[in-house]
Amino acid sequence: MDFGFTEEQERLRKKVREFFQEELPEDYDWGGGAETAEEGQAFMRELQKKTAKQGYLTSGWPKEYDGMGLGYVEQGIVDEEFGYAGISWPSQLGLHLAAPAVFLFGTEEQKKKFIPPLARGEAVWFEAFTEPEAGSDEANQQTRAVQDGDYFILNGQKTFISGIYKPDFLYTLARTADTVPKHRGISLFLIPADLPGITYRALPSMGGGTQNDIFFDNVKVHKEYLLGELNRGFYHAMATFEFERTGTAFPGRVKRGLEEFIQFCKEEKRNGKPLIEDPEVRKLLAEMAVEAEIWKLMAWKAVWWFGNREELGPMPFDLSGMCNKQLTTAQSEKMSKILGIYGQLRQGSKWAKHEGRVERGWRSTRSLHAAGTLEIYKYVIARRGLGLPRIPAKLNAVIAQALDEKK
C-alpha cells in the first residue's frame, strides 16, 4: 500500500507553500490570535483575496464557478498547507459549509448570487444554528419563521455563534412548522446579515476568539433566501455537516506547532541541559508525534472516503473531527507539563517561554463548541459506528424532567 503522493501533487504542495512564504510576513503570528486585532483582520481579508486569485481558496470548485476543479487529494494538499501556514480564513464557514449547501440544494439564481463573492474571497458567513434551548439538539430550533406572502418573518435568538469578522450573510435554521417529529418542521435560510431587525452581542471567550448572540426581531426575509425545500432544512443541514467537520487543515496546523515546539525544546535549557535531553520531555514529545500522525491519517482517510463516496456512500463517522476535539486538548496539556510553571505565563510576559503560545493554546483548546461538542462526536460514533440504539424516548423524558427539577 502506497500512502505517498504523485510528483504532480508534490509540485502543487510546493507551489502553495511557496505562495504563503512569499505573502506572509516573517513575524506573522501563525499560532493564532493575530486576526483578533483590527489590523490583523484587514491583512487576512487581503490575503484571502490574493489566495482566491490564485485559485487555491476554492481549489475543488468547478471552473465555471472560479474554482480549479481539483480532485479530493489535491484539495486535501491545499488545505493541509493552509493549516501548516497557520491560516484560518475569514470566510471559512462560507467556503466549507454554506457553499457546499448552495451547490447541493440551491437554485441556479442562488448559485449565481452567493458563490462568486465567496470565490473572490470577499464574503464572510456565520453559521447561526445554536440556540439557548437547542445547543447540540438542532431539531429543537425555537427561532420561528412565519410565511407572509413572499416573505418569512423571523423571530428568535441564536447564541454562541463563532466569528470575529463582521458577517455578510447568515446560514441559519428556523422553525417553519409545528410537527411531530419536530425535525420535520425546520427550514434552512441564507440571510443578509444586515437586514433590519437583526442585532448582535459579542461574547468574548477564553479561547481568545469571539462568540456572538444574534437576535431576530420581526426580520423580513424574502422567500428567495430559503435554501432547498420548505421544512426539509434539518436534512439539508445534516447532509452538509460532514463538509464542516472534515479536513486536513487542522492536522497541518498541529504538525507545524509540534515541529516548532520540538525545536524550542532543543534550544531551551533547564539545569544547564537542553530540555530535549530530559527523558520525561522526550517521552511526552514522542506521544505527541504519534498522536499527530494518527490525526493526519484519520484526516486523509476522510479525504479518500470523500473521493470514493459514490461507491462507499456517506462516511458513517469521522474520527479526524474527534481527534480535533481530543488531541488538541491533550497536546496542550503535555506542552504545559513540559514547561512546568512557565506554561501558565501569557504572551507578553517577559518570563513567558515559547512566546506564550502554550498558555494561549491551552485556553483555546478549551473552547471546543465550534462544529459540535465532543459528546456529539461520541454519540455519532456510538450510533453509526457501533450500531448502538438511540436513547429511548421514555428515558429522554426522564432526563428532561430531571433537568427541569434541577433548575
Short mmCIF file of all heavy atoms in Angstrom, two decimals, residues 29-80:
data_model
loop_
_atom_site.label_atom_id
_atom_site.label_comp_id
_atom_site.label_asym_id
_atom_site.label_seq_id
_atom_site.Cartn_x
_atom_site.Cartn_y
_atom_site.Cartn_z
N ASP A 29 2.04 35.91 13.25
CA ASP A 29 1.74 35.14 14.45
C ASP A 29 0.87 33.96 14.06
O ASP A 29 -0.33 33.95 14.27
CB ASP A 29 1.02 36.03 15.47
CG ASP A 29 0.80 35.31 16.79
OD1 ASP A 29 1.35 34.21 16.97
OD2 ASP A 29 0.06 35.85 17.62
N TRP A 30 1.50 32.93 13.47
CA TRP A 30 0.75 31.81 12.93
C TRP A 30 0.01 31.02 14.01
O TRP A 30 -0.94 30.31 13.72
CB TRP A 30 1.67 30.86 12.16
CG TRP A 30 2.50 30.01 13.06
CD1 TRP A 30 3.73 30.30 13.54
CD2 TRP A 30 2.11 28.77 13.63
NE1 TRP A 30 4.15 29.31 14.37
CE2 TRP A 30 3.17 28.35 14.44
CE3 TRP A 30 0.98 27.97 13.53
CZ2 TRP A 30 3.13 27.17 15.16
CZ3 TRP A 30 0.93 26.79 14.25
CH2 TRP A 30 2.01 26.40 15.04
N GLY A 31 0.44 31.14 15.23
CA GLY A 31 -0.15 30.34 16.30
C GLY A 31 -1.57 30.71 16.64
O GLY A 31 -2.21 30.09 17.48
N GLY A 32 -2.11 31.71 15.98
CA GLY A 32 -3.49 32.11 16.24
C GLY A 32 -3.54 33.37 17.07
O GLY A 32 -2.64 33.68 17.84
N GLY A 33 -4.61 34.11 16.88
CA GLY A 33 -4.79 35.30 17.69
C GLY A 33 -4.48 36.58 16.95
O GLY A 33 -4.96 37.65 17.31
N ALA A 34 -3.66 36.51 15.86
CA ALA A 34 -3.29 37.72 15.14
C ALA A 34 -4.51 38.40 14.52
O ALA A 34 -4.60 39.62 14.44
CB ALA A 34 -2.28 37.39 14.04
N GLU A 35 -5.48 37.57 14.08
CA GLU A 35 -6.61 38.13 13.37
C GLU A 35 -7.63 38.78 14.30
O GLU A 35 -8.60 39.36 13.84
CB GLU A 35 -7.30 37.04 12.54
CG GLU A 35 -7.90 35.92 13.33
CD GLU A 35 -6.90 34.81 13.63
OE1 GLU A 35 -5.67 35.05 13.51
OE2 GLU A 35 -7.33 33.72 13.99
N THR A 36 -7.42 38.67 15.63
CA THR A 36 -8.36 39.31 16.54
C THR A 36 -8.18 40.82 16.53
O THR A 36 -9.10 41.55 16.89
CB THR A 36 -8.19 38.78 17.98
OG1 THR A 36 -6.84 38.99 18.38
CG2 THR A 36 -8.52 37.30 18.04
N ALA A 37 -7.01 41.31 16.15
CA ALA A 37 -6.79 42.75 16.07
C ALA A 37 -7.31 43.28 14.73
O ALA A 37 -7.34 42.55 13.74
CB ALA A 37 -5.30 43.06 16.21
N GLU A 38 -7.73 44.55 14.73
CA GLU A 38 -8.32 45.13 13.51
C GLU A 38 -7.34 45.07 12.35
O GLU A 38 -7.69 44.75 11.22
CB GLU A 38 -8.72 46.59 13.80
CG GLU A 38 -9.56 47.20 12.72
CD GLU A 38 -10.09 48.57 13.12
OE1 GLU A 38 -10.27 48.81 14.33
OE2 GLU A 38 -10.29 49.39 12.22
N GLU A 39 -6.06 45.38 12.64
CA GLU A 39 -5.03 45.35 11.58
C GLU A 39 -4.85 43.93 11.03
O GLU A 39 -4.72 43.72 9.83
CB GLU A 39 -3.71 45.86 12.15
CG GLU A 39 -2.61 45.95 11.12
CD GLU A 39 -1.29 46.41 11.73
OE1 GLU A 39 -1.22 46.54 12.97
OE2 GLU A 39 -0.34 46.64 10.97
N GLY A 40 -4.89 42.95 11.94
CA GLY A 40 -4.74 41.56 11.52
C GLY A 40 -5.91 41.11 10.65
O GLY A 40 -5.73 40.36 9.68
N GLN A 41 -7.11 41.57 10.97
CA GLN A 41 -8.28 41.20 10.18
C GLN A 41 -8.18 41.76 8.76
O GLN A 41 -8.51 41.10 7.78
CB GLN A 41 -9.55 41.71 10.85
CG GLN A 41 -9.89 40.97 12.13
CD GLN A 41 -11.28 41.32 12.63
OE1 GLN A 41 -12.12 41.82 11.90
NE2 GLN A 41 -11.53 41.03 13.90
N ALA A 42 -7.74 43.04 8.66
CA ALA A 42 -7.61 43.66 7.34
C ALA A 42 -6.58 42.91 6.50
O ALA A 42 -6.78 42.67 5.30
CB ALA A 42 -7.20 45.12 7.50
N PHE A 43 -5.46 42.52 7.13
CA PHE A 43 -4.43 41.78 6.42
C PHE A 43 -4.96 40.45 5.91
O PHE A 43 -4.74 40.05 4.76
CB PHE A 43 -3.23 41.53 7.34
CG PHE A 43 -2.21 40.59 6.75
CD1 PHE A 43 -1.31 41.04 5.80
CD2 PHE A 43 -2.20 39.24 7.11
CE1 PHE A 43 -0.38 40.17 5.23
CE2 PHE A 43 -1.28 38.37 6.55
CZ PHE A 43 -0.37 38.84 5.61
N MET A 44 -5.72 39.75 6.79
CA MET A 44 -6.21 38.42 6.41
C MET A 44 -7.25 38.50 5.30
O MET A 44 -7.32 37.63 4.42
CB MET A 44 -6.79 37.72 7.64
CG MET A 44 -6.92 36.23 7.50
SD MET A 44 -5.38 35.40 7.02
CE MET A 44 -4.39 35.63 8.49
N ARG A 45 -8.05 39.55 5.30
CA ARG A 45 -9.03 39.73 4.22
C ARG A 45 -8.31 39.92 2.88
O ARG A 45 -8.73 39.37 1.86
CB ARG A 45 -9.92 40.93 4.50
CG ARG A 45 -11.07 40.66 5.47
CD ARG A 45 -11.90 41.92 5.66
NE ARG A 45 -13.07 41.71 6.48
CZ ARG A 45 -14.25 41.29 6.02
NH1 ARG A 45 -14.40 41.04 4.72
NH2 ARG A 45 -15.28 41.13 6.83
N GLU A 46 -7.25 40.71 2.88
CA GLU A 46 -6.50 40.94 1.64
C GLU A 46 -5.80 39.67 1.18
O GLU A 46 -5.75 39.35 -0.01
CB GLU A 46 -5.48 42.07 1.84
CG GLU A 46 -6.09 43.45 1.89
CD GLU A 46 -6.96 43.75 0.66
OE1 GLU A 46 -6.46 43.56 -0.47
OE2 GLU A 46 -8.13 44.12 0.84
N LEU A 47 -5.23 38.93 2.15
CA LEU A 47 -4.57 37.66 1.79
C LEU A 47 -5.58 36.68 1.22
O LEU A 47 -5.27 35.93 0.26
CB LEU A 47 -3.90 37.06 3.02
CG LEU A 47 -3.18 35.73 2.79
CD1 LEU A 47 -2.02 35.91 1.80
CD2 LEU A 47 -2.65 35.15 4.11
N GLN A 48 -6.78 36.69 1.77
CA GLN A 48 -7.83 35.79 1.26
C GLN A 48 -8.14 36.10 -0.21
O GLN A 48 -8.30 35.20 -1.03
CB GLN A 48 -9.08 35.96 2.12
CG GLN A 48 -10.20 35.00 1.77
CD GLN A 48 -11.35 35.10 2.76
OE1 GLN A 48 -11.50 34.23 3.61
NE2 GLN A 48 -12.15 36.14 2.65
N LYS A 49 -8.20 37.40 -0.55
CA LYS A 49 -8.47 37.79 -1.94
C LYS A 49 -7.32 37.38 -2.86
O LYS A 49 -7.53 36.90 -3.98
CB LYS A 49 -8.71 39.30 -2.03
CG LYS A 49 -9.99 39.76 -1.35
CD LYS A 49 -10.11 41.28 -1.41
CE LYS A 49 -11.32 41.76 -0.63
NZ LYS A 49 -11.39 43.23 -0.58
N LYS A 50 -6.08 37.57 -2.38
CA LYS A 50 -4.91 37.18 -3.20
C LYS A 50 -4.91 35.67 -3.43
O LYS A 50 -4.60 35.20 -4.53
CB LYS A 50 -3.61 37.59 -2.49
CG LYS A 50 -3.33 39.08 -2.48
CD LYS A 50 -2.01 39.36 -1.77
CE LYS A 50 -1.71 40.84 -1.73
NZ LYS A 50 -0.45 41.13 -1.02
N THR A 51 -5.25 34.92 -2.38
CA THR A 51 -5.28 33.46 -2.50
C THR A 51 -6.39 33.03 -3.45
O THR A 51 -6.22 32.07 -4.22
CB THR A 51 -5.50 32.83 -1.11
OG1 THR A 51 -4.53 33.34 -0.20
CG2 THR A 51 -5.36 31.32 -1.16
N ALA A 52 -7.50 33.76 -3.42
CA ALA A 52 -8.61 33.46 -4.34
C ALA A 52 -8.17 33.66 -5.79
O ALA A 52 -8.54 32.87 -6.67
CB ALA A 52 -9.80 34.36 -4.02
N LYS A 53 -7.39 34.70 -6.06
CA LYS A 53 -6.93 34.94 -7.42
C LYS A 53 -6.05 33.81 -7.93
O LYS A 53 -6.00 33.53 -9.13
CB LYS A 53 -6.19 36.28 -7.49
CG LYS A 53 -7.11 37.48 -7.39
CD LYS A 53 -6.33 38.78 -7.51
CE LYS A 53 -7.28 39.97 -7.42
NZ LYS A 53 -6.54 41.27 -7.45
N GLN A 54 -5.34 33.16 -7.01
CA GLN A 54 -4.51 32.01 -7.39
C GLN A 54 -5.35 30.76 -7.62
O GLN A 54 -4.87 29.78 -8.19
CB GLN A 54 -3.49 31.72 -6.28
CG GLN A 54 -2.50 32.83 -6.02
CD GLN A 54 -1.58 33.10 -7.19
OE1 GLN A 54 -1.08 32.15 -7.79
NE2 GLN A 54 -1.37 34.36 -7.53
N GLY A 55 -6.61 30.80 -7.13
CA GLY A 55 -7.50 29.64 -7.25
C GLY A 55 -7.43 28.71 -6.05
O GLY A 55 -8.25 27.79 -5.93
N TYR A 56 -6.47 28.91 -5.15
CA TYR A 56 -6.29 27.98 -4.03
C TYR A 56 -7.45 28.02 -3.04
O TYR A 56 -7.72 27.02 -2.36
CB TYR A 56 -4.98 28.29 -3.28
CG TYR A 56 -3.74 28.19 -4.12
CD1 TYR A 56 -2.67 29.06 -3.92
CD2 TYR A 56 -3.62 27.22 -5.11
CE1 TYR A 56 -1.52 28.96 -4.69
CE2 TYR A 56 -2.48 27.12 -5.88
CZ TYR A 56 -1.43 28.01 -5.67
OH TYR A 56 -0.30 27.91 -6.44
N LEU A 57 -8.12 29.15 -2.93
CA LEU A 57 -9.19 29.27 -1.93
C LEU A 57 -10.34 28.33 -2.25
O LEU A 57 -11.02 27.82 -1.34
CB LEU A 57 -9.70 30.72 -1.90
CG LEU A 57 -10.53 31.13 -0.69
CD1 LEU A 57 -9.70 31.08 0.58
CD2 LEU A 57 -11.10 32.54 -0.89
N THR A 58 -10.58 28.09 -3.52
CA THR A 58 -11.70 27.24 -3.93
C THR A 58 -11.19 26.16 -4.89
O THR A 58 -11.74 25.96 -5.97
CB THR A 58 -12.79 28.08 -4.62
OG1 THR A 58 -12.18 28.83 -5.69
CG2 THR A 58 -13.42 29.07 -3.65
N SER A 59 -10.13 25.50 -4.48
CA SER A 59 -9.42 24.59 -5.38
C SER A 59 -10.29 23.45 -5.91
O SER A 59 -10.06 22.96 -7.01
CB SER A 59 -8.18 24.02 -4.68
OG SER A 59 -8.57 23.27 -3.54
N GLY A 60 -11.31 23.03 -5.14
CA GLY A 60 -12.13 21.91 -5.57
C GLY A 60 -13.39 22.31 -6.31
O GLY A 60 -14.11 21.44 -6.80
N TRP A 61 -13.68 23.61 -6.38
CA TRP A 61 -14.91 24.03 -7.03
C TRP A 61 -14.80 23.89 -8.54
O TRP A 61 -13.70 23.96 -9.11
CB TRP A 61 -15.21 25.49 -6.68
CG TRP A 61 -15.59 25.71 -5.25
CD1 TRP A 61 -15.47 24.81 -4.22
CD2 TRP A 61 -16.12 26.90 -4.69
NE1 TRP A 61 -15.89 25.38 -3.05
CE2 TRP A 61 -16.29 26.65 -3.31
CE3 TRP A 61 -16.45 28.15 -5.20
CZ2 TRP A 61 -16.80 27.62 -2.45
CZ3 TRP A 61 -16.96 29.11 -4.36
CH2 TRP A 61 -17.13 28.84 -2.99
N PRO A 62 -15.96 23.77 -9.21
CA PRO A 62 -15.93 23.71 -10.68
C PRO A 62 -15.33 24.99 -11.27
O PRO A 62 -15.48 26.08 -10.70
CB PRO A 62 -17.42 23.59 -11.05
CG PRO A 62 -18.09 23.10 -9.81
CD PRO A 62 -17.32 23.64 -8.65
N LYS A 63 -14.69 24.86 -12.44
CA LYS A 63 -14.04 26.02 -13.06
C LYS A 63 -15.04 27.10 -13.44
O LYS A 63 -14.71 28.29 -13.43
CB LYS A 63 -13.24 25.56 -14.27
CG LYS A 63 -12.03 24.72 -13.88
CD LYS A 63 -11.20 24.33 -15.09
CE LYS A 63 -9.99 23.51 -14.65
NZ LYS A 63 -9.17 23.05 -15.80
N GLU A 64 -16.29 26.70 -13.77
CA GLU A 64 -17.29 27.72 -14.14
C GLU A 64 -17.68 28.58 -12.95
O GLU A 64 -18.30 29.62 -13.10
CB GLU A 64 -18.52 27.08 -14.76
CG GLU A 64 -19.27 26.11 -13.87
CD GLU A 64 -18.86 24.67 -14.14
OE1 GLU A 64 -17.67 24.44 -14.43
OE2 GLU A 64 -19.74 23.78 -14.06
N TYR A 65 -17.32 28.14 -11.73
CA TYR A 65 -17.56 28.95 -10.53
C TYR A 65 -16.23 29.43 -9.95
O TYR A 65 -16.08 29.59 -8.74
CB TYR A 65 -18.35 28.16 -9.49
CG TYR A 65 -19.79 27.94 -9.90
CD1 TYR A 65 -20.21 26.71 -10.40
CD2 TYR A 65 -20.72 28.98 -9.83
CE1 TYR A 65 -21.53 26.52 -10.80
CE2 TYR A 65 -22.04 28.79 -10.23
CZ TYR A 65 -22.44 27.57 -10.72
OH TYR A 65 -23.74 27.39 -11.11
N ASP A 66 -15.26 29.68 -10.82
CA ASP A 66 -13.96 30.23 -10.43
C ASP A 66 -13.14 29.32 -9.54
O ASP A 66 -12.27 29.78 -8.79
CB ASP A 66 -14.13 31.60 -9.75
CG ASP A 66 -14.74 32.62 -10.69
OD1 ASP A 66 -14.39 32.58 -11.89
OD2 ASP A 66 -15.56 33.44 -10.24
N GLY A 67 -13.42 28.02 -9.59
CA GLY A 67 -12.59 27.07 -8.87
C GLY A 67 -11.50 26.52 -9.78
O GLY A 67 -11.38 26.90 -10.95
N MET A 68 -10.70 25.57 -9.25
CA MET A 68 -9.64 24.95 -10.05
C MET A 68 -10.05 23.56 -10.53
O MET A 68 -9.34 22.95 -11.33
CB MET A 68 -8.36 24.84 -9.21
CG MET A 68 -7.78 26.19 -8.78
SD MET A 68 -6.35 26.00 -7.69
CE MET A 68 -5.09 25.45 -8.86
N GLY A 69 -11.18 23.05 -10.02
CA GLY A 69 -11.65 21.74 -10.42
C GLY A 69 -10.73 20.61 -10.00
O GLY A 69 -10.71 19.55 -10.63
N LEU A 70 -9.99 20.80 -8.90
CA LEU A 70 -9.04 19.77 -8.46
C LEU A 70 -9.77 18.61 -7.78
O LEU A 70 -10.88 18.76 -7.26
CB LEU A 70 -8.03 20.37 -7.48
CG LEU A 70 -7.10 21.45 -8.03
CD1 LEU A 70 -6.13 21.90 -6.94
CD2 LEU A 70 -6.32 20.94 -9.24
N GLY A 71 -9.11 17.45 -7.73
CA GLY A 71 -9.66 16.28 -7.07
C GLY A 71 -9.54 16.39 -5.56
O GLY A 71 -8.94 17.33 -5.02
N TYR A 72 -10.10 15.39 -4.85
CA TYR A 72 -10.13 15.45 -3.38
C TYR A 72 -8.74 15.41 -2.77
O TYR A 72 -8.46 16.10 -1.79
CB TYR A 72 -10.99 14.31 -2.85
CG TYR A 72 -12.46 14.56 -3.04
CD1 TYR A 72 -13.15 13.98 -4.09
CD2 TYR A 72 -13.16 15.41 -2.18
CE1 TYR A 72 -14.50 14.22 -4.29
CE2 TYR A 72 -14.50 15.65 -2.36
CZ TYR A 72 -15.18 15.06 -3.42
OH TYR A 72 -16.51 15.31 -3.61
N VAL A 73 -7.85 14.60 -3.32
CA VAL A 73 -6.49 14.52 -2.76
C VAL A 73 -5.79 15.87 -2.91
O VAL A 73 -5.14 16.37 -1.98
CB VAL A 73 -5.68 13.40 -3.44
CG1 VAL A 73 -4.22 13.45 -2.99
CG2 VAL A 73 -6.29 12.04 -3.12
N GLU A 74 -5.92 16.49 -4.10
CA GLU A 74 -5.28 17.79 -4.33
C GLU A 74 -5.87 18.86 -3.40
O GLU A 74 -5.15 19.70 -2.87
CB GLU A 74 -5.44 18.20 -5.79
CG GLU A 74 -4.59 17.40 -6.77
CD GLU A 74 -5.13 15.99 -7.02
OE1 GLU A 74 -6.28 15.72 -6.64
OE2 GLU A 74 -4.38 15.17 -7.58
N GLN A 75 -7.20 18.79 -3.21
CA GLN A 75 -7.82 19.73 -2.26
C GLN A 75 -7.26 19.51 -0.85
O GLN A 75 -7.02 20.47 -0.10
CB GLN A 75 -9.33 19.51 -2.22
CG GLN A 75 -10.07 19.91 -3.47
CD GLN A 75 -11.54 19.54 -3.36
OE1 GLN A 75 -12.24 19.97 -2.44
NE2 GLN A 75 -12.01 18.73 -4.28
N GLY A 76 -7.08 18.24 -0.49
CA GLY A 76 -6.53 17.93 0.83
C GLY A 76 -5.12 18.50 0.99
O GLY A 76 -4.76 18.99 2.07
N ILE A 77 -4.33 18.47 -0.08
CA ILE A 77 -2.98 19.02 -0.03
C ILE A 77 -3.03 20.54 0.19
O ILE A 77 -2.31 21.09 1.03
CB ILE A 77 -2.22 18.68 -1.33
CG1 ILE A 77 -1.90 17.19 -1.36
CG2 ILE A 77 -0.95 19.51 -1.46
CD1 ILE A 77 -1.34 16.70 -2.69
N VAL A 78 -3.89 21.21 -0.58
CA VAL A 78 -4.01 22.67 -0.44
C VAL A 78 -4.46 23.03 0.97
O VAL A 78 -3.90 23.92 1.62
CB VAL A 78 -4.99 23.23 -1.49
CG1 VAL A 78 -5.22 24.72 -1.26
CG2 VAL A 78 -4.45 22.99 -2.90
N ASP A 79 -5.47 22.32 1.47
CA ASP A 79 -5.97 22.61 2.82
C ASP A 79 -4.90 22.34 3.88
O ASP A 79 -4.78 23.08 4.86
CB ASP A 79 -7.21 21.75 3.11
CG ASP A 79 -8.44 22.25 2.39
OD1 ASP A 79 -8.40 23.37 1.85
OD2 ASP A 79 -9.44 21.52 2.35
N GLU A 80 -4.13 21.28 3.68
CA GLU A 80 -3.07 20.96 4.65
C GLU A 80 -2.04 22.10 4.70
O GLU A 80 -1.53 22.45 5.76
CB GLU A 80 -2.40 19.65 4.25
CG GLU A 80 -1.62 19.00 5.38
CD GLU A 80 -1.20 17.57 5.04
OE1 GLU A 80 -0.75 17.33 3.89
OE2 GLU A 80 -1.33 16.70 5.89
#
